[in-house]
Amino acid sequence: MNEAFSRPVAGQVPVLRLGDVLLVTLQGDLHDSMAHRLQQDISETIVRSGVTGVVIDISGVEMVDSFLGRVLAEIAAQSALLAARTVVAGMRPAVAITLVELGLTLPGLRTALTTEAALESLARPVAGPRSGGGLGESP
């Protein structure tokens, strides 16, 4: 099967590869088992394919609760450990308001208004690590 296309299985979120980026489109509720499977699928696909970015489109999600917020943050953290950047796209204003009201800051998670903007963001080079200033270093 070509990695650029995957057939969604009932109860599973499709993870599509578009060049160096994985595109994940969430629709409706994400239950515990689906969330765990999605995290595993994304991590395995990053390792297997060597992609450098993950776009999670949540435009089809009506409401984000603390569970989904935690899942998104965990996906971003796992992807970062595997050298891939994550961008969440398509957040509705009501979802953003809910996240703020819940006190969820989602560290390490970047956002974009659209999937296209997320893909453009991932296409830009990443600033390199800063040198110096570490503990125990001498000038």
Side-chain angles (χ1 to χ4, degrees):
M1 178 195 273
N2 184 342
E3 280 190 289
F5 304 99
S6 67
R7 293 186 188 129
V9 177
Q12 191 174 12
V13 178
V15 176
L16 305 175
R17 181 176 176 193
L18 302 171
D20 287 338
V21 176
L22 297 181
L23 176 60
V24 180
T25 303
L26 298 181
Q27 300 289 326
D29 294 334
L30 190 65
H31 304 289
D32 290 356
S33 60
M34 285 175 57
H36 178 71
R37 181 75 220 162
L38 177 61
Q39 289 174 309
Q40 189 173 351
D41 287 349
I42 290 172
S43 294
E44 289 173 359
T45 305
I46 290 170
V47 170
R48 185 176 64 249
S49 64
V51 297
T52 57
V54 177
V55 173
I56 303 173
D57 180 354
I58 63 169
S59 60
V61 175
E62 294 292 327
M63 184 184 80
V64 172
D65 57 9
S66 59
F67 171 74
L68 182 54
R70 189 185 80 227
V71 168
L72 294 173
E74 287 175 359
I75 289 171
Q78 290 169 352
S79 298
L81 288 172
L82 298 171
R85 297 180 289 159
T86 301
V87 180
V88 171
M91 187 177 300
R92 298 170 187 241
V95 170
I97 290 167
T98 301
L99 289 173
V100 170
E101 288 174 348
L102 291 172
L104 297 175
T105 57
L106 306 177
L109 196 61
R110 297 168 46 198
T111 59
L113 293 177
T114 65
T115 300
E116 293 81 10
L119 292 169
E120 289 173 12
S121 171
L122 290 171
R124 287 187 222 118
V126 181
R130 296 180 183 173
S131 61
L135 295 177
E137 291 182 14
S138 58

